[in-house]
Amino acid sequence: MEAQSSSGLLLSRKRRREGSNGEAEEGERLGKKIPRCTVGLKHPAPFADELVPADNKPYVRVPMEEAKRGTPPERPVRVYADGIFDMFHSGHARALMQAKCLFPNTHLIVGICSDDLTHKYKGFTVMNEDERYDAVTHCRYVDEVVRNAPWTLTPEFLTKHRIDFVAHDDLPYSSAGSDDVYKHIKEAGMFAPTQRTEGISTSDIITRIVRDYDVYVRRNLQRGYTAKELNVGFINAKKYHLQERVDKVKRKVRDVEEKSKEFVQKVEEKSIDLIQKWEEKSREFIGNFLQMFGPEGALKHMLKEGKGRMLQAISPRQSPSSSPTREERSPSPTFRLPFFSKTSPPPSPPSPAAEHPYVL
């Protein structure tokens, strides 16, 4: 059940072309979590001609309705998918995954055409037939591989391998003088359509290699392949070696430029920090200066206080407005010598004649 749920999640993902950079698919992939499961596959899928022959029971196809409902474990729905599978990639794997997930109980048989048929009807391949056979056997969705599969499916081939349905994308496949090699399969009700994965195919991969031919030749020369192995002439080989040296120099110059930019950026950051610290210190210094020497600074208050104290110390006290009379003044102390310590008799009162000399 876990494998089916994870397969359903994979089928629901949208595939975008190269230009989208896979942003939509990556967003969906990050948004949902898949339950953990351990698949017990330890061996590649077997080849059909190496399996024990099937029992002698007559071949009876499973109807579509019964296949969708689910069949008994001993009678899985046998689905056949064929192709060239040159340079086996994720588009191939997704197509086989869809074929495997068509029904709850599916036995997936994959047919692979030989080099002779492929070169005759489609063109030259990068991988030979043995490499293509081996690549498909290691796909986790495949249960059985048919080598040297026919280009057009015949009733005898379908009966021999007890095939219930044929899985392929529903676009007409014109080849071998036919507008659609799967036309008779569709008319018999045995066709189960799948969807192509946009943006990835063997032709697309070959196009990338041809488009960037010089890049890949230089790459392989750098990895140790000889010019003869790459079918490159002497002059072109020297040209590629020269280009590689020039590119190395360019990379070094680019690295130096990047490092110099980083150094300049660090110096600018440090200078900005120093300027900010200097501004802060200068503001602090100016504030302290104004607090001390400004119009209302501490120095002015100190001078005012000192001036007031100096004036109080220099100026005399103000004399009273009226001086006291002789009677009001306190008597001055009498100075007596020690030998005049005895008190003398009081003086005699004056005579009347003395007080009034002109009185006769």
Side-chain angles (χ1 to χ4, degrees):
M1 293 298 292
E2 291 181 350
Q4 290 181 1
S5 62
S6 61
S7 301
L9 178 59
L10 290 171
L11 286 171
S12 66
R13 295 173 181 161
K14 297 180 181 178
R15 268 82 67 183
R16 298 294 182 89
R17 291 188 179 271
E18 250 181 338
S20 65
N21 294 326
E23 294 177 358
E25 182 178 355
E26 189 67 23
E28 294 181 4
R29 186 173 300 176
L30 293 175
K32 297 181 180 178
K33 300 296 183 182
I34 303 172
R36 295 180 180 272
C37 62
T38 301
V39 180
L41 300 178
K42 298 181 180 179
H43 304 285
F47 295 109
D49 52 4
E50 296 176 351
L51 294 174
V52 176
D55 53 16
N56 296 325
K57 293 181 181 180
Y59 165 62
V60 179
R61 283 190 56 246
V62 177
M64 179 66 76
E65 293 77 9
E66 183 180 350
K68 289 183 177 179
R69 286 196 303 268
T71 57
E74 66 275 5
R75 177 56 174 95
V77 180
R78 296 175 65 85
V79 177
Y80 178 81
D82 58 357
I84 309 301
F85 301 105
D86 189 21
M87 302 179 68
F88 191 84
H89 51 75
S90 62
H92 295 141
R94 287 181 180 274
L96 298 178
M97 178 189 66
Q98 293 179 60
K100 179 71 174 179
C101 298
L102 284 172
F103 308 107
N105 184 18
T106 303
H107 181 87
L108 180 59
I109 308 166
V110 179
I112 305 171
C113 300
S114 64
D115 286 345
D116 294 336
L117 281 176
T118 304
H119 298 167
K120 179 180 178 181
Y121 292 113
K122 191 167 185 178
F124 192 75
T125 58
V126 177
M127 302 167 63
N128 59 43
E129 58 185 27
D130 293 329
E131 293 170 337
R132 293 185 285 114
Y133 297 155
D134 187 64
V136 175
T137 59
H138 290 84
C139 180
R140 65 187 296 181
Y141 310 112
V142 179
D143 299 304
E144 185 179 338
V145 174
V146 177
R147 292 182 284 196
N148 194 16
W151 197 262
T152 302
L153 300 178
T154 61
E156 293 78 15
F157 180 84
L158 297 175
T159 302
K160 177 184 176 180
H161 294 280
R162 298 173 173 268
I163 295 171
D164 296 314
F165 297 96
V166 177
H168 200 273
D169 61 88
D170 55 358
L171 296 176
Y173 193 86
S174 58
S175 180
S178 174
D179 294 335
D180 188 2
V181 295
Y182 297 103
K183 182 177 180 181
H184 63 289
I185 302 294
K186 294 176 181 178
E187 291 174 351
M190 298 177 61
F191 188 80
T194 58
Q195 293 182 354
R196 294 178 63 89
T197 302
E198 298 293 339
I200 182 67
S201 68
T202 303
S203 299
D204 291 339
I205 296 174
I206 295 174
T207 300
R208 298 178 202 171
I209 297 173
V210 173
R211 181 187 60 199
D212 300 326
Y213 170 79
D214 292 347
V215 175
Y216 293 111
V217 170
R218 289 164 53 187
R219 170 185 178 274
N220 283 9
L221 286 173
Q222 188 180 4
R223 289 175 176 264
Y225 289 88
T226 63
K228 185 177 180 180
E229 290 175 327
L230 297 174
N231 196 23
V232 176
F234 176 80
I235 297 176
N236 286 334
K238 295 298 180 183
K239 182 186 73 173
Y240 293 136
H241 283 299
L242 179 61
Q243 289 177 349
E244 185 64 28
R245 292 178 182 176
V246 172
D247 288 345
K248 284 184 179 179
V249 174
K250 288 181 179 179
R251 285 194 292 270
K252 289 182 180 179
V253 172
R254 194 180 303 114
D255 292 340
V256 172
E257 290 179 352
E258 291 177 356
K259 290 181 181 179
S260 61
K261 288 180 181 178
E262 291 177 359
F263 176 75
V264 171
Q265 186 176 0
K266 290 181 180 178
V267 171
E268 289 179 352
E269 291 176 356
K270 289 185 177 179
S271 62
I272 291 172
D273 293 338
L274 290 174
I275 291 172
Q276 290 178 350
K277 291 180 180 179
W278 182 83
E279 289 179 350
E280 292 175 0
K281 293 294 182 181
S282 62
R283 291 194 191 98
E284 184 179 356
F285 176 77
I286 293 171
N288 294 335
F289 183 84
L290 291 176
Q291 288 180 0
M292 179 61 69
F293 301 102
E296 300 297 330
L299 182 62
K300 184 175 181 180
H301 292 292
M302 291 172 61
L303 292 175
K304 284 183 179 180
E305 293 178 358
K307 184 178 178 181
R309 291 176 182 175
M310 291 175 65
L311 290 175
Q312 289 179 1
I314 294 172
S315 60
R317 292 184 179 179
Q318 188 175 3
S319 57
S321 57
S322 60
S323 55
T325 60
R326 184 178 298 269
E327 289 79 7
E328 292 178 355
R329 294 179 184 176
S330 60
S332 59
T334 304
F335 181 76
R336 294 189 180 96
L337 292 175
F339 44 84
F340 291 110
S341 58
K342 294 181 179 181
T343 56
S344 57
S348 57
S351 59
E355 291 181 359
H356 303 278
Y358 297 103
V359 177
L360 292 177

